[in-house]
Amino acid sequence: MKIDSELEKQLVSERDNEVKRVSYDNEIKFYTMIASGDVAGVEEFNRNRRATYEKSRKGVLSADKLSSEKYHAVIMTALISRFCIEAGMDIAVSYSLSDIFIRHIDRAKNLEDVENLYDAIALEYANRMRELSRSNVVSRYVVLAIDYIRDHIQETLTVDQVANALAVNASYLSKLFKHDMGKSISSYIRDSKIEIAKNMLRHLDESSLEIASYLGFSSQSHFIQVFKKETGMTPEEYRKQHYHKSWISESGEEE
């Protein structure tokens, strides 16, 4: 197989036609939203996805357009399943969901079916990750608080802000949250932001300043300080150790 020749021809063709592929960074942020249980973010992404993809180009994986879209959907499903495993989903559950959805993709009769599956797969995993984060929660207000935090994780969140959004006393909410979750609301917010930051550092080239801004930290220095306190490393030290490492090789698990 003359792969080098084919590769060069395709790269030349894309340069000549000014082809712009779908942003890698946006894809990783999408997978991170799903793994963090950000259902609202995923719903917004799904609403904008078709318009966004019309301006970009996904790789042509088959001469048949339907087959090409199916292959992309399978790749997306495999990546989502692994991001969710990293974030705590049971391996057997994640892989089984992936198998089920891939069979649905295989049976798709037209492009609209595949488009609908893109949305359904992303939302199913995101909803399951959200449920996972609150599976041991008893109090209704704590469930609502977790949902609010997940939906606003990119903002500078405070206990008072969360309590006001739920129209409940901040002190009362804090006590409920600590009882159900074993940690304070502030700690939960901080831990959630750091987990997303770690994912971004593993897979993206964003600077500490960009990540700090994306996650609503007051400053780059504050983000670095919090990250080092939680992980024992600065963001750049963490990136050097974990950048683009396979989550499968790290866990020792294979599908």
Side-chain angles (χ1 to χ4, degrees):
M1 296 178 68
K2 298 181 179 179
I3 297 298
D4 287 343
S5 176
E6 286 187 51
L7 174 61
E8 187 56 33
K9 286 180 180 178
Q10 180 158 327
L11 291 174
V12 168
S13 175
E14 291 182 359
R15 285 193 294 267
D16 289 346
N17 292 286
E18 298 182 341
V19 169
K20 183 180 180 182
R21 286 185 180 268
V22 178
S23 167
Y24 172 77
D25 286 5
N26 285 340
E27 283 192 281
I28 296 299
K29 287 176 182 176
F30 172 57
Y31 298 138
T32 299
M33 278 193 292
I34 294 170
S36 65
D38 182 1
V39 174
V42 172
E43 288 175 337
E44 182 179 0
F45 185 95
N46 282 343
R47 285 194 294 270
N48 296 329
R49 179 172 52 81
R50 297 189 190 198
T52 300
Y53 274 30
E54 284 175 2
K55 299 175 183 177
S56 304
R57 174 187 178 275
K58 290 184 286 186
V60 177
L61 305 182
S62 170
D64 177 70
K65 190 170 183 179
L66 178 57
S67 295
S68 186
E69 285 298 318
K70 285 184 177 183
Y71 293 146
H72 277 291
V74 169
I75 293 168
M76 181 196 77
T77 304
L79 285 169
I80 289 173
S81 73
R82 285 150 178 80
F83 268 77
C84 288
I85 288 169
E86 274 197 337
M89 181 177 281
D90 180 82
I91 293 174
V93 170
S94 187
Y95 282 158
S96 294
L97 279 174
S98 174
D99 291 346
I100 291 167
F101 279 124
I102 288 171
R103 289 197 293 270
H104 280 283
I105 293 166
D106 183 57
R107 293 196 295 268
K109 300 298 183 183
N110 51 57
L111 292 173
E112 185 64 24
D113 287 347
V114 180
E115 289 284 354
N116 290 336
L117 280 165
Y118 274 121
D119 295 350
I121 293 165
L123 281 173
E124 180 67 28
Y125 272 97
N127 275 303
R128 285 178 178 271
M129 291 306 298
R130 168 167 284 191
E131 288 300 320
L132 181 64
S133 71
R134 62 189 191 183
S135 58
N136 296 319
V137 176
V138 176
S139 306
R140 172 176 171 270
Y141 279 121
V142 176
V143 171
L144 294 175
I146 289 173
D147 284 351
Y148 183 86
I149 292 167
R150 295 273 177 166
D151 290 342
H152 297 81
I153 196 64
Q154 293 175 312
E155 301 174 15
T156 303
L157 292 168
T158 65
V159 176
D160 285 340
Q161 179 183 341
V162 176
N164 289 338
L166 304 183
V168 64
N169 179 271
S171 178
Y172 173 69
L173 178 62
S174 295
K175 290 178 181 177
L176 281 178
F177 200 97
K178 183 66 179 288
H179 177 269
D180 282 6
M181 301 300 292
K183 63 175 68 176
S184 68
I185 296 174
S186 297
S187 294
Y188 183 86
I189 293 169
R190 179 196 63 221
D191 292 349
S192 297
K193 287 179 181 287
I194 292 302
E195 283 304 310
I196 293 173
K198 286 161 67 176
N199 220 355
M200 294 177 74
L201 288 164
R202 282 196 296 268
H203 301 293
L204 298 176
D205 294 318
E206 253 91 334
S207 66
S208 292
L209 177 60
E210 290 170 318
I211 294 174
S213 176
Y214 178 76
L215 290 173
F217 282 91
S218 58
S219 66
Q220 178 183 4
S221 60
H222 181 229
F223 165 60
I224 294 173
Q225 179 184 19
V226 172
F227 191 92
K228 186 171 184 179
K229 183 178 179 180
E230 292 302 305
T231 66
M233 292 179 278
T234 66
E236 287 309 310
E237 288 169 343
Y238 183 89
R239 171 175 273 145
K240 286 179 182 177
Q241 287 194 22
H242 299 281
Y243 187 61
H244 280 347
K245 278 190 177 179
S246 167
W247 46 87
I248 298 302
S249 64
E250 287 179 350
S251 67
E253 298 284 348
E254 293 185 4
E255 186 172 7

